[in-house]
Amino acid sequence: MQLREPRFMDFVQEFDSSWSVTMSTIWPNLIVQREMNTLGIRQIVPNGPHEFIMKWTMFGFEGDDAEMTGHRLRQGNLMGPAGFLGLEDNEAMKFVQDGMRRVPGKRHLVKLDPVNEAGTADTLISEAAIRAMYKHWRAEMGL
Amino acid sequence: MASRREARLDALLLRAEIDDFNAAYAAALDEQRLSDWAEMFTEDAFYVVISRENADRGLPVGLIYCDSKKMIYDRAFALEKTTMFAPRYLRHIIGNLQVLGENADGGVRARANYVLTQVLYDRPEAKLHQVGVYYDVFRRVDGLLKLAERRCVYDSLLIDNALCLPV
């Protein structure tokens, strides 16, 4: 299995960082993502109990030449709103939501990494951070 | 007089050929024959699915952005073999074809409106997934029409969950 156009996976070193991918979630509804040479933000706007709008903004830089702009636009096929990763994220979130709604009593918990209840984990194979986020969210919402 | 008639016939034949092309294009996507879809483009083809909001402002970011047939093929391959998404039926309705003219290099400019409906298996009814315009450039390769450019500019302000399959 091979890409016919591997160029879209090229990584141009732009920053003094050893990471090619960084993402941060800023409470309560902003996600800032640098995925290789694309910089994007996702804003989550709730518009009902079962729905939200996700607003995507992808950035270019003032100093980019035509080649670099082209590269960023091509790389948007990875982590843009319908990118190879982005579209699976959108689908996965719908699967989770659809699954939750069909659970009797509306309560549902599958624990990944039950050792770390909520907070920081030493491994990425953990939902401790997201449990902490929801714990805080429930407190803020008075639930 | 005869030559004017010839020119009109040529124009009608070309229009019919593009109409047939668009019907075959819709059939390939509706039947999710994505490799066949990729074969409908020239090697140097440009294919983008872009919001009207972006297109009107001259902003280039598209949902799908391919500047070669290789990229179009990679997208088709990924969707057929590796990408995970809910099963669905799509229906592309293409109409209001206008043949706009010929470029200096022989490329034929055209436009057509499209309506894309989607049926997901969690609901019984078809939903309007996208409405938009194809802005096209066709070129002949070995006598057959191929797309050298297709810009799918959609009017819809939001996408229902995800754009999984091409437009």
Side-chain angles (χ1 to χ4, degrees):
Chain A
M1 197 182 294
Q2 239 173 355
L3 286 168
R4 288 199 185 180
E5 178 48 282
R7 180 170 69 142
F8 104 102
M9 288 298 290
D10 287 352
F11 179 51
V12 182
Q13 186 81 39
E14 293 187 273
F15 306 106
D16 183 20
S17 162
S18 51
W19 305 106
S20 60
V21 175
T22 52
M23 282 178 101
S24 3
T25 304
I26 296 170
W27 172 266
N29 69 333
L30 179 69
I31 299 144
V32 181
Q33 55 183 64
R34 180 170 72 84
E35 191 90 17
M36 303 184 81
N37 295 115
T38 60
L39 175 68
I41 59 172
R42 283 186 264 175
Q43 295 170 75
I44 293 168
V45 183
N47 58 340
H50 304 299
E51 267 186 15
F52 63 88
I53 294 169
M54 181 133 68
K55 294 174 72 174
W56 288 74
T57 310
M58 304 296 286
F59 293 92
F61 292 79
E62 214 171 46
D64 289 347
D65 58 14
E67 176 51 34
M68 193 62 189
T69 298
H71 174 58
R72 293 195 208 279
L73 289 167
R74 281 192 295 275
Q75 212 156 62
N77 286 290
L78 192 59
M79 200 50 200
F84 296 124
L85 297 173
L87 89 80
E88 285 194 340
D89 277 1
N90 297 342
E91 285 291 286
M93 281 186 276
K94 182 169 164 25
F95 291 156
V96 171
Q97 182 72 8
D98 287 352
M100 295 293 276
R101 289 180 70 179
R102 282 159 182 74
V103 173
K106 312 281 181 203
R107 281 171 186 269
H108 188 120
L109 180 66
V110 179
K111 272 194 179 178
L112 190 66
D113 182 19
V115 177
N116 295 292
E117 179 59 35
T120 307
D122 295 329
T123 163
L124 287 174
I125 310 167
S126 169
E127 285 164 350
I130 199 160
R131 283 199 292 270
M133 198 281 285
Y134 276 112
K135 210 171 163 181
H136 182 65
W137 180 80
R138 290 181 67 87
E140 287 291 312
M141 301 294 284
L143 292 170
Chain B
M1 207 59 182
S3 68
R4 195 184 298 165
R5 194 181 145 79
E6 291 272 300
R8 278 192 67 196
L9 280 172
D10 281 351
L12 282 169
L13 283 173
L14 178 63
R15 195 197 140 78
E17 205 178 343
I18 293 176
D19 229 354
D20 284 349
F21 180 98
N22 281 339
Y25 181 100
L29 288 180
D30 292 348
E31 290 159 18
Q32 294 182 29
R33 291 182 281 108
L34 299 181
S35 312
D36 293 349
W37 166 73
E39 284 307 321
M40 303 185 85
F41 292 87
T42 63
E43 293 300 322
D44 61 349
F46 181 72
Y47 172 77
V48 69
V49 182
I50 186 171
S51 67
R52 185 170 175 175
E53 281 178 290
N54 272 359
D56 284 353
R57 288 167 177 78
L59 297 171
V61 173
L63 292 177
I64 304 178
Y65 184 99
C66 300
D67 62 5
S68 68
K69 183 176 174 175
K70 286 178 178 170
M71 286 190 77
I72 295 168
Y73 181 86
D74 287 339
R75 174 67 73 158
F77 182 88
L79 293 171
E80 279 183 334
K81 308 281 187 200
T82 70
T83 312
M84 182 217 65
F85 54 93
R88 63 200 62 213
Y89 295 143
L90 295 182
R91 194 65 58 199
H92 293 70
I93 314 291
I94 306 173
N96 301 54
L97 169 66
Q98 283 185 291
V99 181
L100 300 172
E102 207 169 308
N103 290 339
D105 66 356
V108 176
R109 281 179 288 113
R111 57 170 283 171
N113 290 352
Y114 68 85
V115 174
L116 174 56
T117 62
Q118 176 170 277
V119 180
L120 289 169
Y121 294 168
D122 61 348
R123 299 283 314 156
E125 72 279 3
K127 274 186 162 181
L128 199 54
H129 196 48
Q130 215 178 77
V131 180
V133 186
Y134 292 136
Y135 294 98
D136 298 330
V137 177
F138 289 91
R139 221 164 51 213
R140 282 191 193 282
V141 179
D142 299 327
L144 291 175
L145 280 183
K146 300 261 183 188
L147 278 166
E149 198 175 302
R150 172 154 278 182
R151 292 170 194 270
C152 316
V153 181
Y154 59 90
D155 295 335
S156 328
L157 299 179
L158 290 171
I159 302 291
D160 186 12
N161 207 61
L163 180 80
C164 294
L165 291 158
V167 178

